[in-house]
Amino acid sequence: MDDIAAHVDARGLNCPLPILRAKKALAALESGQLLHVLTTDAGAREDFAAFATQTGHALVEQREEVNGVLTHVLRRR
């Protein structure tokens, strides 16, 4: 996606740190902008889905990359 406004590399971090880093990054964005997050935590897929539901941010994409890295793209509400 070419319209990513910010990136967070949370690889190697365990819950809740990837969510906390994403929350901080989203706070700095304007409504509608996209945040790209990389994680390796096994529970991150479910954590980011729950985070999006609870906060109203849109979970635009989740996919598994090589070596167990998960990519999450969130749109700020």
Side-chain angles (χ1 to χ4, degrees), residues 5 10 14 17 22 26 29 31 33 61 64 66 71-73 75:
N14 293 321
L17 291 176
L26 282 165
L29 298 181
S31 182
Q33 288 187 306
E61 182 178 0
E64 188 166 349
V66 294
T71 294
H72 316 271
V73 179
R75 183 179 308 277

Side-chain angles (χ1 to χ4, degrees), residues 64-70:
E64 188 166 349
E65 304 290 343
V66 294
N67 300 327
V69 175
L70 293 171

Side-chain angles (χ1 to χ4, degrees), residues 13 15 18-19 37-53 59-66 68-74:
L13 300 177
C15 183
I19 293 291
V37 184
L38 296 175
T39 63
T40 51
D41 182 34
R45 183 181 301 275
E46 294 80 17
D47 292 344
F48 274 87
F51 173 73
T53 299
L59 185 57
V60 176
E61 182 178 0
Q62 280 187 315
R63 68 179 182 274
E64 188 166 349
E65 304 290 343
V66 294
V69 175
L70 293 171
T71 294
H72 316 271
V73 179
L74 295 147

